[in-house]
Every structure is written in structure tokens, then in C-alpha cells.
Amino acid sequence: MCGIFAYQWNKQALPILQRGLERLEYRGYDSAWVCVMDAQGSTKLIKSVGKVSELESKISKQTKGKEEELNAFTRGIAHTRWATHGVASEVNTHPHHDAGNHFYVIHNGIIENHAKLKKQLREKWYTFYSQTDSEVVPALLAEHWTGDLLETVEKVLPLLHGAYALVIMTTHAPNEIVALKRWSPLILWTAPDGFYCSSDMQALAGYATQTVTLSDGELVYIKNNDYIIKAEWKIIKKDLEKLDIKAMDESRGEYETFMRKEIDEQPAIIRRAFMGRVNFDEKAIHADATKYLKDKEIQKVVFVGCGTSYNAGQMGALWMQNIAGIDASAKIASEYMHQRIPTDPKTLHVFLSQSWETADSIEVLKHIKDKGGLTFGIVNVVGSTIATMTDCGFFLRAGYEIGVASTKAFTAQMINILMLTLFLWKKWSLSYDRYTNILHAMKTVPSLMEQIIAQEDAIANVAKEMSRFNNMFFLGRKYEYVVADEGSLKLKELSYIHSESYPAGELKHGPLALIEESFPCVLIAPHDGLFEQNMSSMAEIQSRKWKVLVVSNRETEWADRMITIPSAHPAVMPFLTTMVVQLLSYHVAKELGRDIDKPRNLAKSVTVK
Ligand code: F6R
């Protein structure tokens, strides 16, 4: 999603901003822009719809032979845009400026009252050139200009509603920059050679040391080689923090895509998740987070997340109920606030997010915190909003996921949820023997996953056939229904093939009407207590001449195509079947020549509600 990068002081800004844009690329975007300014307020702006590499080739064409001249441009702002208001086009690309070309603004988030503000300005005098909500900010700065940048920004701020991060430059005061945040992340890095500002910790990781993470409502005003931070119109002191995160490993090694690399990393990530947390000899789960929960009375667990993280929550709810014996449910974060759910102190709210800034999930977390609820985070990024706001939690230890479609973060979320489930296990729910069976089954997951990877050629062959269809169903029951949901989501986002997921038992209640030969089904049906029921569903499908691909550890002569997987305890089987649907979607997308790491229209971190 949108990304911000800004620099001010005494180095040539253009290469710094280009590097910043490259670091923001993994988030997903559809256009990029860079604007640099010299000490007299002259600007250079270069925009591009498409990849940062396209912007870079534009930059090198436009600046060829002018390298000396560029040394004067020692401040600038850069942005990757993921379209929300207005199509991906040069005109809608940030930074936006006012009619007089004096104010330049980059913006993440949404100005919710932009329509009203635009109407008011249009009625007075103003003509807007873009369809964006963001353009209203430079227009308002021009309208309220007092001759002082900080004062003007403080006059305009109360007029803006919504969640946003902004960085503002003006030709009237080229040595000044204002950056501010309300709900959308922003970090300042005070380096010996200048001030850097980004919406993404990752864009600074590896070289930033002394950083300030702005809180909601805070603003940083940079002038020459100094800065102040203000909150509610008062200057405040904020300590510099050490940015303690590793730089993203940006190399794909021998892999064609990051996604394929990340699929292979999964067994190692699961092994890493156990370290220091699961004692297989003592058959127990120990961690700081579990020490914190030890004396809490937990009667209910609610998982909150979006997309793939929500799917992990659905799996968690089933495990909690079937293994731990605790009432549990999963909620889609963007729907939570519409449901008027009472916050009970005996409910543990588990927040799931592979990134650190999913706006929908953070909104629910803030709400639960305000109500005094007990919160647990299962997240990937140390120091992230969700990690710092929750009472306790587990880190995924999965390393950065660069492929936009989540794979390793999903299985890492699942293993962490399973560990939490076993920790919360109630003796009256499941016998000790059955508890230890699951604990031991969990230990076998990484090596079983490696066996799935070894079957990649067979999966790729089936994927080749799947890629000829325009529609697909994913079916399963209980845990495997959740895998069907995840498989359907992966196929959609990677291949752009329409697919739906259903509990296999629901077919006869409506979806069967869609049956025709061109609408095949993936039935995930391990040989467990539900196998016979799944075979009945298959019979319903086949008697209507539908094609069925069965994913199972038991051969069935009725399947049109079969992917045979190793046997495993039903509670951990989803780790294996998930890998199958990941590889299937990957190979379908590859067959269709899709941009696997950056599917169209999608972003890695979704910072808007
Ligand atoms: C799908 C995918 C998304 C994310 C969702 C939540 O492959 O990646 O559905 O799972 O946008 O993101 P996080 O986990 O960062 O909160």
C-alpha cells in the first residue's frame, strides 16, 4: 500500500529517495513519484505509473548530463501510491500540489471529509486537477497560508478528518519540512547527514539507528539541521530509540520468485517457532506470554484479523474448541466494529497480522484496549503497533514476507495458535493422551511439509490443467474447510481465476446449481472421521459431471485427479494441505504468466480502513 519516504539536509536527495522507493516496493503500489527541491525552492518532479524501475529509467533519462546540477537538490519527498481515490495515473500520483505550485504533499491514508472540503474550495475559487482525496491538503495550505509553514499546517490540521500520515514541503520555505501522523505510521530517523522520514520501518532498517516513532496526533517540524516534535500545539520531548529490526533479505537466491522461496522456508520457520517455547520431553508450552496468561481466567477466545490472517483465526477457533475446550470464534476485523460485541474481561482477544499496520485490525485493537479487554498479539514485526499495544503475545519468527500473497506468515500464525491452544488446553476437554498425541504430531509437521515440497512436480502438473478453467470451487470440512478458504483466496489473488470456497456439506444447499463441466472442484479430504462424508459430497458432484481434484492421504478411484499427501494427525493435517493449495495456486499463476510476487491491485500492508 502507499509508502512515504522523505529526506532533508545536505546530501543529494534524489539517490536517497530512489533507494527509499525501492525499499517501499514490497508493500505493493501502482505508481511512484519523486520531488526534489533546492535551497531556493526550485523543484524537480518525476512521476511514473507502474514500477519503481520505470520511474528510475525516467529519472536517469531526465537527469543525464545534469549530475552536477542535481547536487543542489538536497531535500525531497517520494511516494509509492496504491490507488484508493482515483485511478492509477500520473495525475493522481503523489506528491500533490496546489494551483500555484508552492505546497507539495505526500499522503498515506484517507482524508474522509475530502468531498466536503473540495466542494467548499471549489465554491470559493479552486479548481482541482486530480480525483484524489489528498489534493485537498495542498489546496487548504495555499488557502490558509500565513507566511509560516508550521503555523499554516496547524491551522489546516483541524479541518482534516480521517486516518493519515502527511509530509509537507513548500517553495516558500525550502529549508523546512513538516511530517505528521494520525493513525497511519510514520518514523523519523535523525542521521548525521540529515533527517529521513518514512511510513515503513523496513525502508529504514539496516542503516537507521536513532529513530523517533511518532504517535497519533504528533507532528515533526524540521528546519535546517534541527527539529522539534509537537503534540496538541505544545512542543514535547521524545527519546530517540534504537531501530532494532533486521534489514529485509531482498535476495531471491536461486528462486524465480519470493513467494516460491517463502513456501520453502516454512518447515524451518515451524522448527524455529518451537525453540524455547515447546518442551517436547516435558510435554509443555512455556514462554513469557504464557507466564503472563497463567493466572488469567480465560473462558473465551476471539481471533481478529483480515484476509489470510482471518483464515488463521478461523483455524484457531476450531482448535480452541476441539482441543482446548474453550468457546472461540474468529472475526473479520473490518466487520468487528459493526457487531456491537461486548468486551468481556474473561475473553482473550488474539490479534493476527503478518504486517504491523493493518488499519482494520488496529482499529479493533484500540477499541478492545479502551474497553479494558485482554489482548494477545501474533505478529511478525518486533516494535510494531500491534506488538506494542497488546498485553502479551508470540512473534512469528518468520522473517519478512516479500511476496504479497501470504504463505509462510500463515503457517507461522497457525503453529503459534496451535501452541497457544495446547497451553490453554483444559483437562476436561481432551484426555492427556490425546493432548500428547497432538503435541507430538506438531513436532512432525516440518518434516511432513518437506514431503509436500518433494511432490512439487506432481502438483505443478495438476496446476497446468487447472489453469485452463475460469472458475473453481474449493471444498472441505472442519479444519480443511478453512484450508479451502485459504486455497480459494490464494488462487484468486495469484491467478485472477474466480474461485469460491464452501464447506463440502453446503454444496447441496445452493452452490450445486452452478455445476457444469467447466467449473471444477478441489476437494480437500484427508482420511479422517469425515472422509466418508466427503466422499458423499464427491458423489453429488460427479453425478453432475463435475471434475474433482481430491487432496488426500487415501487414494480414491473416483477422483478425476488426485494429489496424495502423507498421513498425519487430523489436527496438524492443515499444515500439509495448506502447502498443497499454496503450490497449486503458485503453479497456476506461473502457467498463466502472472506477476506472482506483486499481484495486480494488491498491497502487502493495508493501511486504510
Ligand atoms: C493474502 C494476504 C492478505 C492479508 C491481509 C491481512 O495473501 O496476504 O489477505 O492476510 O491483508 O494482512 P495482515 O496479516 O498484515 O494484517
Short mmCIF file of all heavy atoms in Angstrom, two decimals, residues 304-311 352-361 378-379 386 396 401 403-407 409-410 413 486 489-490 493-494 602-606, ligand 1:
data_model
loop_
_atom_site.label_atom_id
_atom_site.label_comp_id
_atom_site.label_asym_id
_atom_site.label_seq_id
_atom_site.Cartn_x
_atom_site.Cartn_y
_atom_site.Cartn_z
N VAL A 304 -8.97 -12.07 15.82
CA VAL A 304 -9.32 -10.94 14.95
C VAL A 304 -8.22 -10.80 13.88
O VAL A 304 -7.03 -10.79 14.19
CB VAL A 304 -9.42 -9.62 15.76
CG1 VAL A 304 -9.84 -8.47 14.85
CG2 VAL A 304 -10.39 -9.76 16.92
N GLY A 305 -8.63 -10.67 12.63
CA GLY A 305 -7.66 -10.49 11.54
C GLY A 305 -8.38 -10.22 10.24
O GLY A 305 -9.62 -10.15 10.18
N CYS A 306 -7.60 -10.07 9.18
CA CYS A 306 -8.16 -9.82 7.85
C CYS A 306 -7.55 -10.83 6.87
O CYS A 306 -6.40 -11.23 7.06
CB CYS A 306 -7.77 -8.44 7.34
SG CYS A 306 -8.13 -7.12 8.47
N GLY A 307 -8.29 -11.17 5.84
CA GLY A 307 -7.76 -12.00 4.75
C GLY A 307 -7.18 -13.30 5.27
O GLY A 307 -7.81 -14.06 6.01
N THR A 308 -5.93 -13.54 4.89
CA THR A 308 -5.27 -14.78 5.29
C THR A 308 -5.14 -14.87 6.81
O THR A 308 -5.28 -15.94 7.40
CB THR A 308 -3.90 -14.85 4.58
OG1 THR A 308 -4.16 -15.11 3.20
CG2 THR A 308 -3.01 -15.92 5.13
N SER A 309 -4.89 -13.74 7.45
CA SER A 309 -4.77 -13.75 8.92
C SER A 309 -6.10 -14.13 9.56
O SER A 309 -6.14 -14.81 10.59
CB SER A 309 -4.31 -12.38 9.44
OG SER A 309 -3.00 -12.13 8.99
N TYR A 310 -7.20 -13.71 8.95
CA TYR A 310 -8.52 -14.11 9.45
C TYR A 310 -8.67 -15.64 9.29
O TYR A 310 -9.19 -16.32 10.18
CB TYR A 310 -9.62 -13.36 8.70
CG TYR A 310 -10.98 -13.97 8.85
CD1 TYR A 310 -11.67 -13.90 10.07
CD2 TYR A 310 -11.60 -14.66 7.80
CE1 TYR A 310 -12.92 -14.49 10.23
CE2 TYR A 310 -12.84 -15.24 7.96
CZ TYR A 310 -13.50 -15.16 9.16
OH TYR A 310 -14.72 -15.75 9.33
N ASN A 311 -8.20 -16.15 8.16
CA ASN A 311 -8.29 -17.61 7.96
C ASN A 311 -7.52 -18.35 9.05
O ASN A 311 -7.98 -19.37 9.56
CB ASN A 311 -7.76 -18.00 6.58
CG ASN A 311 -8.73 -17.58 5.47
OD1 ASN A 311 -9.90 -17.31 5.75
ND2 ASN A 311 -8.25 -17.51 4.25
N LEU A 352 -4.16 -11.09 14.87
CA LEU A 352 -3.27 -11.78 13.93
C LEU A 352 -2.93 -10.84 12.79
O LEU A 352 -3.82 -10.29 12.14
CB LEU A 352 -4.00 -13.00 13.35
CG LEU A 352 -4.40 -14.04 14.37
CD1 LEU A 352 -5.52 -14.91 13.85
CD2 LEU A 352 -3.20 -14.89 14.74
N SER A 353 -1.62 -10.65 12.54
CA SER A 353 -1.24 -9.79 11.43
C SER A 353 0.20 -10.09 11.03
O SER A 353 1.08 -10.12 11.89
CB SER A 353 -1.37 -8.33 11.83
OG SER A 353 -0.97 -7.50 10.78
N GLN A 354 0.41 -10.32 9.74
CA GLN A 354 1.80 -10.56 9.29
C GLN A 354 2.54 -9.24 9.19
O GLN A 354 3.75 -9.20 9.24
CB GLN A 354 1.86 -11.37 8.00
CG GLN A 354 1.01 -10.89 6.83
CD GLN A 354 1.59 -9.75 6.02
OE1 GLN A 354 2.80 -9.62 5.92
NE2 GLN A 354 0.74 -8.92 5.45
N SER A 355 1.81 -8.15 8.99
CA SER A 355 2.48 -6.85 8.86
C SER A 355 2.35 -6.15 10.22
O SER A 355 2.05 -6.76 11.22
CB SER A 355 1.82 -6.03 7.77
OG SER A 355 0.53 -5.65 8.16
N TRP A 356 2.55 -4.86 10.22
CA TRP A 356 2.48 -4.18 11.51
C TRP A 356 1.47 -3.05 11.48
O TRP A 356 1.42 -2.24 12.37
CB TRP A 356 3.86 -3.64 11.89
CG TRP A 356 4.46 -2.69 10.90
CD1 TRP A 356 4.74 -2.95 9.59
CD2 TRP A 356 4.85 -1.34 11.12
NE1 TRP A 356 5.30 -1.86 8.99
CE2 TRP A 356 5.38 -0.85 9.91
CE3 TRP A 356 4.82 -0.48 12.23
CZ2 TRP A 356 5.87 0.44 9.77
CZ3 TRP A 356 5.32 0.80 12.07
CH2 TRP A 356 5.84 1.24 10.86
N GLU A 357 0.68 -2.97 10.40
CA GLU A 357 -0.07 -1.74 10.27
C GLU A 357 -1.44 -1.90 9.63
O GLU A 357 -1.96 -0.95 9.04
CB GLU A 357 0.76 -0.72 9.49
CG GLU A 357 1.35 -1.31 8.22
CD GLU A 357 2.34 -0.36 7.55
OE1 GLU A 357 2.26 0.84 7.81
OE2 GLU A 357 3.17 -0.83 6.78
N THR A 358 -2.03 -3.09 9.70
CA THR A 358 -3.34 -3.27 9.08
C THR A 358 -4.37 -2.41 9.82
O THR A 358 -4.69 -2.68 10.99
CB THR A 358 -3.72 -4.76 9.10
OG1 THR A 358 -2.67 -5.47 8.45
CG2 THR A 358 -5.02 -5.01 8.36
N ALA A 359 -4.87 -1.39 9.14
CA ALA A 359 -5.70 -0.38 9.80
C ALA A 359 -6.94 -0.99 10.44
O ALA A 359 -7.32 -0.63 11.56
CB ALA A 359 -6.07 0.71 8.80
N ASP A 360 -7.58 -1.94 9.73
CA ASP A 360 -8.81 -2.53 10.26
C ASP A 360 -8.55 -3.24 11.59
O ASP A 360 -9.33 -3.12 12.54
CB ASP A 360 -9.38 -3.54 9.26
CG ASP A 360 -9.92 -2.87 8.00
OD1 ASP A 360 -10.55 -1.81 8.13
OD2 ASP A 360 -9.70 -3.41 6.91
N SER A 361 -7.44 -3.97 11.66
CA SER A 361 -7.14 -4.73 12.89
C SER A 361 -6.74 -3.78 14.02
O SER A 361 -7.13 -3.98 15.18
CB SER A 361 -6.01 -5.73 12.63
OG SER A 361 -6.35 -6.56 11.55
N ILE A 378 -0.26 -11.97 17.72
CA ILE A 378 0.57 -12.94 16.99
C ILE A 378 1.00 -12.22 15.73
O ILE A 378 0.25 -12.13 14.75
CB ILE A 378 -0.20 -14.25 16.71
CG1 ILE A 378 -0.57 -14.92 18.05
CG2 ILE A 378 0.64 -15.19 15.85
CD1 ILE A 378 -1.17 -16.31 17.95
N VAL A 379 2.18 -11.62 15.78
CA VAL A 379 2.62 -10.72 14.72
C VAL A 379 4.08 -11.00 14.35
O VAL A 379 4.80 -11.66 15.09
CB VAL A 379 2.47 -9.23 15.12
CG1 VAL A 379 1.03 -8.81 15.18
CG2 VAL A 379 3.15 -8.94 16.44
N ILE A 386 0.87 -3.35 16.68
CA ILE A 386 0.11 -4.44 17.32
C ILE A 386 0.95 -5.10 18.42
O ILE A 386 0.46 -5.39 19.51
CB ILE A 386 -0.40 -5.45 16.27
CG1 ILE A 386 -1.42 -4.75 15.35
CG2 ILE A 386 -1.00 -6.69 16.94
CD1 ILE A 386 -2.03 -5.60 14.27
N LEU A 396 6.14 -14.22 15.26
CA LEU A 396 6.11 -15.34 14.31
C LEU A 396 7.49 -15.92 14.02
O LEU A 396 7.61 -17.07 13.62
CB LEU A 396 5.50 -14.88 12.98
CG LEU A 396 4.05 -14.44 12.99
CD1 LEU A 396 3.60 -14.08 11.57
CD2 LEU A 396 3.15 -15.55 13.51
N GLU A 401 8.14 -11.26 4.92
CA GLU A 401 7.49 -11.92 3.79
C GLU A 401 7.42 -10.86 2.70
O GLU A 401 6.83 -9.79 2.90
CB GLU A 401 6.10 -12.36 4.22
CG GLU A 401 5.47 -13.35 3.30
CD GLU A 401 4.14 -13.82 3.87
OE1 GLU A 401 3.27 -12.97 4.15
OE2 GLU A 401 3.97 -15.02 4.02
N GLY A 403 6.71 -11.63 -0.87
CA GLY A 403 5.61 -11.94 -1.78
C GLY A 403 4.33 -11.36 -1.18
O GLY A 403 4.09 -11.52 0.02
N VAL A 404 3.55 -10.68 -2.00
CA VAL A 404 2.34 -10.04 -1.46
C VAL A 404 1.37 -11.09 -0.92
O VAL A 404 0.74 -10.89 0.13
CB VAL A 404 1.69 -9.12 -2.54
CG1 VAL A 404 0.26 -8.76 -2.16
CG2 VAL A 404 2.52 -7.85 -2.69
N ALA A 405 1.24 -12.21 -1.61
CA ALA A 405 0.33 -13.26 -1.12
C ALA A 405 1.00 -13.97 0.05
O ALA A 405 2.10 -14.49 -0.06
CB ALA A 405 0.03 -14.24 -2.24
N SER A 406 0.32 -13.98 1.15
CA SER A 406 0.90 -14.52 2.37
C SER A 406 0.97 -16.05 2.33
O SER A 406 -0.01 -16.72 2.02
CB SER A 406 0.04 -14.06 3.55
OG SER A 406 0.65 -14.41 4.74
N THR A 407 2.14 -16.60 2.64
CA THR A 407 2.29 -18.06 2.70
C THR A 407 2.92 -18.45 4.04
O THR A 407 2.26 -18.98 4.92
CB THR A 407 3.17 -18.58 1.54
OG1 THR A 407 4.39 -17.83 1.51
CG2 THR A 407 2.46 -18.49 0.22
N ALA A 409 3.80 -16.63 6.49
CA ALA A 409 3.23 -15.97 7.67
C ALA A 409 1.98 -16.72 8.14
O ALA A 409 1.71 -16.82 9.33
CB ALA A 409 2.90 -14.51 7.37
N PHE A 410 1.23 -17.28 7.17
CA PHE A 410 0.01 -18.01 7.52
C PHE A 410 0.34 -19.27 8.32
O PHE A 410 -0.24 -19.50 9.40
CB PHE A 410 -0.73 -18.37 6.24
CG PHE A 410 -1.99 -19.17 6.46
CD1 PHE A 410 -3.08 -18.62 7.12
CD2 PHE A 410 -2.11 -20.48 5.99
CE1 PHE A 410 -4.25 -19.36 7.32
CE2 PHE A 410 -3.26 -21.22 6.18
CZ PHE A 410 -4.34 -20.65 6.85
N GLN A 413 1.56 -18.29 11.67
CA GLN A 413 0.45 -17.91 12.56
C GLN A 413 -0.22 -19.17 13.11
O GLN A 413 -0.51 -19.27 14.30
CB GLN A 413 -0.59 -17.08 11.78
CG GLN A 413 -0.17 -15.66 11.51
CD GLN A 413 -1.09 -14.96 10.51
OE1 GLN A 413 -1.79 -15.59 9.74
NE2 GLN A 413 -1.08 -13.64 10.54
N GLU A 486 -8.56 -20.66 2.41
CA GLU A 486 -7.25 -20.09 2.13
C GLU A 486 -6.81 -20.43 0.70
O GLU A 486 -6.24 -19.59 -0.01
CB GLU A 486 -6.24 -20.61 3.18
CG GLU A 486 -4.82 -20.15 3.01
CD GLU A 486 -4.62 -18.63 3.03
OE1 GLU A 486 -5.54 -17.88 3.37
OE2 GLU A 486 -3.50 -18.20 2.65
N LEU A 489 -8.64 -18.18 -1.70
CA LEU A 489 -8.09 -16.81 -1.65
C LEU A 489 -6.76 -16.76 -2.41
O LEU A 489 -6.52 -15.84 -3.22
CB LEU A 489 -7.91 -16.38 -0.19
CG LEU A 489 -7.31 -15.00 0.06
CD1 LEU A 489 -8.19 -13.91 -0.52
CD2 LEU A 489 -7.14 -14.76 1.56
N LYS A 490 -5.90 -17.75 -2.18
CA LYS A 490 -4.59 -17.76 -2.85
C LYS A 490 -4.77 -17.84 -4.36
O LYS A 490 -4.10 -17.15 -5.11
CB LYS A 490 -3.74 -18.96 -2.42
CG LYS A 490 -3.05 -18.93 -1.09
CD LYS A 490 -1.92 -17.95 -0.94
CE LYS A 490 -2.41 -16.64 -0.44
NZ LYS A 490 -2.46 -16.40 0.97
N GLU A 493 -6.06 -14.42 -5.78
CA GLU A 493 -5.13 -13.28 -5.80
C GLU A 493 -3.94 -13.52 -6.72
O GLU A 493 -3.44 -12.57 -7.32
CB GLU A 493 -4.70 -12.87 -4.38
CG GLU A 493 -4.02 -13.93 -3.59
CD GLU A 493 -3.71 -13.49 -2.15
OE1 GLU A 493 -3.63 -12.29 -1.89
OE2 GLU A 493 -3.55 -14.38 -1.30
N LEU A 494 -3.53 -14.79 -6.86
CA LEU A 494 -2.34 -15.03 -7.69
C LEU A 494 -2.64 -15.22 -9.16
O LEU A 494 -1.89 -14.79 -10.02
CB LEU A 494 -1.61 -16.28 -7.18
CG LEU A 494 -0.93 -16.13 -5.83
CD1 LEU A 494 -0.54 -17.48 -5.29
CD2 LEU A 494 0.30 -15.24 -5.96
N LEU A 602 -3.14 -5.40 -5.51
CA LEU A 602 -3.00 -5.78 -4.10
C LEU A 602 -1.80 -5.11 -3.45
O LEU A 602 -0.86 -4.71 -4.12
CB LEU A 602 -2.85 -7.30 -3.97
CG LEU A 602 -4.03 -8.11 -4.49
CD1 LEU A 602 -3.79 -9.59 -4.26
CD2 LEU A 602 -5.33 -7.70 -3.79
N ALA A 603 -1.84 -5.00 -2.15
CA ALA A 603 -0.75 -4.38 -1.40
C ALA A 603 -0.36 -5.28 -0.25
O ALA A 603 -1.19 -6.06 0.25
CB ALA A 603 -1.21 -3.04 -0.86
N LYS A 604 0.88 -5.18 0.18
CA LYS A 604 1.36 -6.04 1.26
C LYS A 604 0.83 -5.58 2.62
O LYS A 604 0.53 -6.39 3.47
CB LYS A 604 2.89 -6.05 1.25
CG LYS A 604 3.51 -7.06 2.18
CD LYS A 604 3.29 -8.47 1.70
CE LYS A 604 3.69 -9.53 2.69
NZ LYS A 604 2.90 -10.76 2.51
N SER A 605 0.79 -4.27 2.83
CA SER A 605 0.24 -3.80 4.11
C SER A 605 -0.94 -2.90 3.77
O SER A 605 -0.81 -2.00 2.94
CB SER A 605 1.23 -2.95 4.90
OG SER A 605 2.52 -3.23 4.51
N VAL A 606 -2.05 -3.15 4.42
CA VAL A 606 -3.26 -2.41 4.06
C VAL A 606 -3.54 -1.37 5.16
O VAL A 606 -4.08 -1.68 6.22
CB VAL A 606 -4.44 -3.38 3.85
CG1 VAL A 606 -5.67 -2.63 3.38
CG2 VAL A 606 -4.06 -4.42 2.80
C1 F6R B 1 -3.49 -12.68 1.37
C2 F6R B 1 -2.99 -11.64 2.24
C3 F6R B 1 -3.97 -10.73 2.88
C4 F6R B 1 -3.54 -10.38 4.30
C5 F6R B 1 -4.47 -9.33 4.91
C6 F6R B 1 -4.13 -9.02 6.36
O1 F6R B 1 -2.47 -13.45 0.84
O2 F6R B 1 -1.81 -11.51 2.42
O3 F6R B 1 -5.25 -11.26 2.86
O4 F6R B 1 -3.55 -11.54 5.07
O5 F6R B 1 -4.41 -8.15 4.17
O6 F6R B 1 -2.84 -8.55 6.48
P1 F6R B 1 -2.01 -8.64 7.84
O7 F6R B 1 -1.79 -10.06 8.12
O8 F6R B 1 -0.75 -7.90 7.53
O9 F6R B 1 -2.82 -7.96 8.89
#
